[in-house]
């Protein structure tokens, strides 16, 4: 759940650029004719988004009488995404995250652009940069069926929501064989109650607990041999110190990546540092 800079261009620019590339006159005119509506909608969006109140925007049946929801969908899919001039804008949005990592899950590779307010209900925002968020395909799909009707049902918006740098992603290490890693959200003291509910909602909708648990299990399998060697040579305290170093390295880059949370949890688990690391590999 990483914050991103808002794209440096607005809806007026994307609409003009898109319309210039449409060779069907009626279609281009329907789009440019809707500019006052699209611009006014963008202003409302930019006013509500920093307050976490986008759920207040009413869904609409079409943009204008000439620019229906279906036509706006075609314009996005067949013109904005495909024509050379607007494809550059689309690619700029899609390639914004560092290392192409999805800002919604922090794990998978960006594979699409997600409409934060969905196209089917909010066609006036189909080409509005503030509503276009880079996303992996799984996060995009997971969000599809979810429509927020109140503040706490809104998922994380990378352009407007800032979770800060305080640690909030935590793990519980369960003393099983192999060890199970349970990820959970500990709300930051800096968050409002609604933001805490939204982060938990996002966590559930995108399925982050399951995603991170699978990644953590794979990471444990990767480090099993090394920890066993350290434990054999120097004992549990050396295992803990090694895990602490691994935690510090990941924390320096991102205090709330699943790896940071994992290494912190492993370091702080007496059971893991003493015995748990010997249980990573399933015994035949
Ligand atoms: Zn994702």
């Amino acid at each position: 759940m990483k914050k991103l800079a808002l794209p440096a261009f607005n809806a007026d620019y994307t609409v003009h650029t898109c319309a210039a590339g449409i060779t069907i006159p009626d279609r281009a005119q329907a789009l440019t004719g809707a500019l006052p509506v699209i611009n006014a909608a963008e202003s409302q969006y930019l006013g509500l988004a920093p307050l976490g109140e986008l759920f207040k925007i009413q869904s609409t049946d079409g943009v204008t009488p000439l620019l229906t929801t279906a036509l706006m969908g075609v314009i996005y899919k067949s013109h904005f995404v495909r024509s050379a001039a607007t494809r550059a804008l689309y690619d700029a949005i899609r390639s914004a995250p560092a290392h192409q990592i999805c800002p919604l899950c922090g794990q998978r590779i960006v594979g699409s652009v997600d409409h934060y307010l969905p196209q089917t209900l909010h066609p006036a925002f189909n080409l509005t940069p503030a509503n276009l968020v880079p996303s992996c395909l799984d996060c995009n799909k997971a969000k599809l069926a979810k429509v927020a009707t109140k503040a706490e049902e809104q998922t994380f918006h990378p352009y407007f929501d800032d979770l800060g740098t305080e640690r909030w992603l935590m793990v519980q290490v369960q003393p099983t064989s192999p060890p199970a890693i349970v990820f959970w959200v500990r709300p930051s003291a800096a968050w409002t109650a609604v933001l805490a509910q939204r982060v938990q909602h996002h966590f559930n909708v995108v399925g982050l607990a399951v995603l991170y648990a699978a990644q953590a299990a794979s990471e444990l399998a990767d480090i099993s041999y090394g920890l066993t060697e350290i434990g054999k040579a120097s004992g549990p305290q050396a295992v803990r110190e090694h895990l602490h170093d691994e935690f510090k390295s990941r924390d320096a880059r991102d205090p709330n990546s699943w790896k940071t949370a994992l290494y912190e949890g492993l370091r702080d688990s007496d059971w893991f540092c003493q015995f748990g690391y010997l249980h990573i590999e399933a015994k035949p």
Side-chain angles (χ1 to χ4, degrees):
M1 296 165 79
K2 301 284 284 183
K3 188 163 174 58
L4 293 175
L6 191 62
F9 39 91
N10 61 14
D12 199 76
Y13 185 71
T14 56
V15 166
H16 277 298
T17 309
C18 190
I22 299 176
T23 54
I24 304 166
D26 288 355
R27 193 172 284 183
Q29 279 163 19
L31 181 58
T32 51
L35 252 178
V37 174
I38 292 171
N39 286 340
E42 183 186 47
S43 294
Q44 186 190 17
Y45 194 106
L46 295 175
L48 291 172
L51 306 173
E53 294 183 345
L54 286 177
F55 75 99
K56 289 183 174 174
I57 296 179
Q58 297 289 313
S59 61
T60 59
D61 186 13
V63 184
T64 63
L66 290 178
L67 190 55
T68 61
T69 301
L71 180 56
M72 196 56 167
V74 169
I75 287 173
Y76 176 76
K77 202 171 169 185
S78 302
H79 299 287
F80 183 73
V81 175
R82 290 192 183 162
S83 80
T86 45
R87 181 71 197 191
L89 302 176
Y90 176 89
D91 286 344
I93 291 169
R94 191 174 145 152
S95 63
H99 311 300
Q100 287 299 288
I101 300 296
C102 171
L104 305 183
C105 62
Q107 176 59 32
R108 296 178 288 243
I109 302 296
V110 170
S112 66
V113 167
D114 174 55
H115 288 81
Y116 186 84
L117 294 183
Q119 299 186 69
T120 47
L121 300 175
H122 299 278
F125 301 109
N126 274 23
L127 306 184
T128 302
N131 195 47
L132 303 178
V133 173
S135 163
C136 72
L137 296 174
D138 284 356
C139 284
N140 196 336
K141 195 174 165 195
K143 278 181 73 265
L144 273 182
K146 308 288 178 185
V147 176
T149 57
K150 44 190 175 181
E152 56 268 35
E153 290 174 351
Q154 299 175 111
T155 53
F156 174 72
H157 197 316
Y159 298 146
F160 299 100
D161 297 326
D162 189 352
L163 303 185
T165 55
E166 193 182 312
R167 296 266 305 105
W168 58 262
L169 180 61
M170 313 304 288
V171 304
Q172 186 193 23
V173 180
Q174 295 190 333
T176 52
S177 186
I181 308 298
V182 178
F183 286 83
W184 59 285
V185 175
R186 183 185 70 187
S188 160
W191 297 354
T192 63
V194 169
L195 183 58
Q197 288 174 294
R198 287 185 55 201
V199 172
Q200 186 63 57
H201 178 72
H202 181 97
F203 210 74
N204 298 343
V205 167
V206 181
L208 294 184
V210 173
L211 174 64
Y212 294 166
Q215 297 295 328
S218 176
E219 181 83 359
L220 283 179
D222 273 349
I223 64 177
S224 172
Y225 173 81
L227 292 181
T228 304
E229 291 296 301
I230 292 169
K232 213 186 296 175
S234 310
Q237 186 56 26
V239 170
R240 191 188 299 276
E241 285 166 9
H242 174 76
L243 293 168
H244 177 68
D245 290 344
E246 297 293 310
F247 160 70
K248 292 296 284 183
S249 184
R250 285 155 182 84
D251 182 46
R253 180 181 173 218
D254 180 354
N256 290 296
S257 74
W258 66 261
K259 285 189 180 180
T260 304
L262 171 66
Y263 280 102
E264 184 188 55
L266 295 178
R267 178 201 66 187
D268 292 345
S269 166
D270 291 338
W271 172 80
F272 186 82
C273 293
Q274 287 183 37
F275 318 106
Y277 66 91
L278 296 169
H279 292 272
I280 295 171
E281 295 297 347
K283 300 288 183 293

